[in-house]
Amino acid sequence: MGQYALLFISGKYKTAEFPLPGEGELLVGRSADLDLVLSEEMVSRKHAKMTILGSSFTLTDLGSTNGTYVNGEKIRRHELSVGDRVLLGTSIIRVIDADEMTIDESIREDADAVRRVMHEISEKNAESITMTGSLSEVPLPDLLQLFASNRRSGVLGITGDKNGKLFLNEGQVEFALIEGQESLAPYKAFCRMIGWNVGDFSLEDRDENETFSEVLSEPTENLLMEATRQGDELQSLLDALPAQDTALTWAVPMMPKLSSLSKEQLDTIQLVLNSDSIGEVVEDSPRTDHSVLSDLQFLLRQGYLEEE
């Protein structure tokens, strides 16, 4: 057995482990006579080739119909490393160190035994024809990049301490919904969900006739970049502001001019006057948490608002 192995973290073979040899080539596809058989329609009969030579581990797409993806990018040929995530059909496969495998040593050394175990797992998951997995294994941004690259449509459901749904149309996020917070604007909900790193996901079919009053029109890549940036800055904003249960009011006396403010900042002041706390302002605003908190920080520093 070599230094690398494959761990299936999504799809019908989820939890399966596939040991790799120290050197050589393996053919991957739907055909039963190949080295790694993935029996599903979205996998071509001869889909990809894995080549191991010393410490080098290369994945090559063999002109497959639906493509081969590594870390969200469609590839023709790619040098793999431990931790890389490969998408083949509905299977997301993580490259792991062989020492991380949990199956018995006797099974690892027996190719037929490995095949039997994988078949048993696929039979057990027969009802689960959708893509499923854990956010601890595949972070949500990586998952959405995979779907965007592969132009997947469906409803990506997240379940756990927090529950939500992302509606995809050919890889683009059209709408985001958080359970219990259905009134949130879709982009605001999207930005919150991008920060989730605990829970399970599943991609289900969606109703093609389903429509929304407000649709996210930006490409998924742009949505992810901005949501990630805002998420990175969010904690520093929270640290710089009073506690979320703090009430704010007009500063007395107010020295700066209201005419200097943007419409969004004036809207935030109106929310402050109608709310009992910073947390309530953040919830009631249609804008993202980052945007509202940035406004509050500016308005407090410039002397428009003060703690009640």
Side-chain angles (χ1 to χ4, degrees):
M1 187 181 70
Q3 61 177 311
Y4 299 112
L6 304 177
L7 172 64
F8 287 74
I9 58 179
S10 174
K12 66 185 291 184
Y13 297 98
K14 181 181 176 183
T15 72
E17 297 172 340
F18 189 86
L20 296 171
E23 289 193 346
E25 289 187 351
L26 292 89
L27 292 177
V28 184
R30 198 174 71 247
S31 180
D33 60 345
L34 301 186
D35 303 292
L36 175 54
V37 180
L38 302 179
S39 182
E40 57 170 288
E41 291 183 3
M42 292 191 67
V43 173
S44 297
R45 291 185 60 81
K46 191 177 288 187
H47 195 107
K49 177 177 68 175
M50 294 180 177
T51 305
I52 304 171
L53 182 61
S55 61
S56 174
F57 181 13
T58 305
L59 175 66
T60 305
D61 183 80
L62 299 177
S64 64
T65 301
N66 292 302
T68 301
Y69 297 80
V70 178
N71 300 328
E73 298 291 332
K74 189 173 184 178
I75 62 100
R76 175 68 180 85
R77 185 176 183 277
H78 188 90
E79 189 81 16
L80 293 174
S81 301
V82 170
D84 283 343
R85 296 179 180 88
V86 178
L87 174 65
L88 295 170
T90 64
S91 293
I92 299 176
I93 309 165
R94 181 157 60 89
V95 180
I96 64 174
D97 190 290
D99 291 338
E100 296 181 45
M101 296 186 69
T102 61
I103 58 176
D104 292 341
E105 192 76 35
S106 58
I107 295 178
R108 301 183 206 183
E109 303 295 337
D110 186 338
D112 290 335
V114 171
R115 283 185 177 231
R116 285 196 299 272
V117 169
M118 289 190 63
H119 178 71
E120 289 169 2
I121 289 173
S122 70
E123 289 291 303
K124 181 180 177 181
N125 295 334
E127 298 298 320
S128 177
I129 59 174
T130 59
M131 186 177 288
T132 62
S134 169
L135 293 182
S136 63
E137 287 283 4
V138 190
L140 190 51
D142 290 359
L143 196 60
L144 291 177
Q145 286 177 343
L146 285 171
F147 294 150
S149 299
N150 210 26
R151 301 177 65 83
R152 292 290 178 87
S153 296
V155 181
L156 179 62
I158 309 296
T159 56
D161 293 339
K162 301 174 183 177
N163 302 320
K165 294 180 180 180
L166 294 168
F167 295 80
L168 308 176
N169 181 19
E170 294 190 349
Q172 300 304 307
V173 180
E174 283 194 335
F175 194 77
L177 175 71
I178 297 178
E179 187 177 302
Q181 298 177 308
E182 287 80 0
S183 62
L184 287 182
Y187 185 55
K188 184 170 187 169
F190 176 83
C191 288
R192 287 188 179 182
M193 293 176 71
I194 288 302
W196 295 359
N197 52 26
V198 175
D200 297 319
F201 69 82
S202 63
L203 183 67
E204 309 286 347
D205 293 334
R206 61 174 289 186
D207 183 354
E208 296 180 357
N209 298 317
E210 190 168 23
T211 58
F212 307 100
S213 58
E214 183 180 354
V215 176
L216 298 173
S217 57
E218 285 285 319
T220 294
E221 183 178 357
N222 293 359
L223 292 173
L224 283 170
M225 287 179 61
E226 180 59 19
T228 301
R229 181 192 70 80
Q230 292 194 18
D232 290 342
E233 298 175 1
L234 196 58
Q235 190 57 53
S236 62
L237 284 170
L238 289 169
D239 292 341
L241 287 167
Q244 291 288 288
D245 59 358
T246 303
L248 302 178
T249 188
W250 291 113
V252 180
M254 182 185 291
M255 300 302 292
K257 297 179 179 180
L258 289 175
S259 59
S260 301
L261 299 177
S262 67
K263 179 184 180 300
E264 289 77 11
Q265 290 167 336
L266 289 171
D267 289 343
T268 299
I269 288 180
Q270 186 62 57
L271 283 171
V272 166
L273 299 178
N274 294 336
S275 304
D276 294 326
S277 67
I278 291 175
E280 193 173 315
V281 173
V282 172
E283 290 301 319
D284 290 345
S285 173
R287 298 164 63 217
T288 65
D289 298 347
H290 177 277
S291 299
V292 181
L293 292 172
S294 295
D295 278 356
L296 291 175
Q297 183 185 57
F298 174 84
L299 294 167
L300 283 163
R301 287 180 174 177
Q302 296 301 314
Y304 289 96
L305 298 174
E306 64 183 12
E307 294 184 42
E308 193 171 85

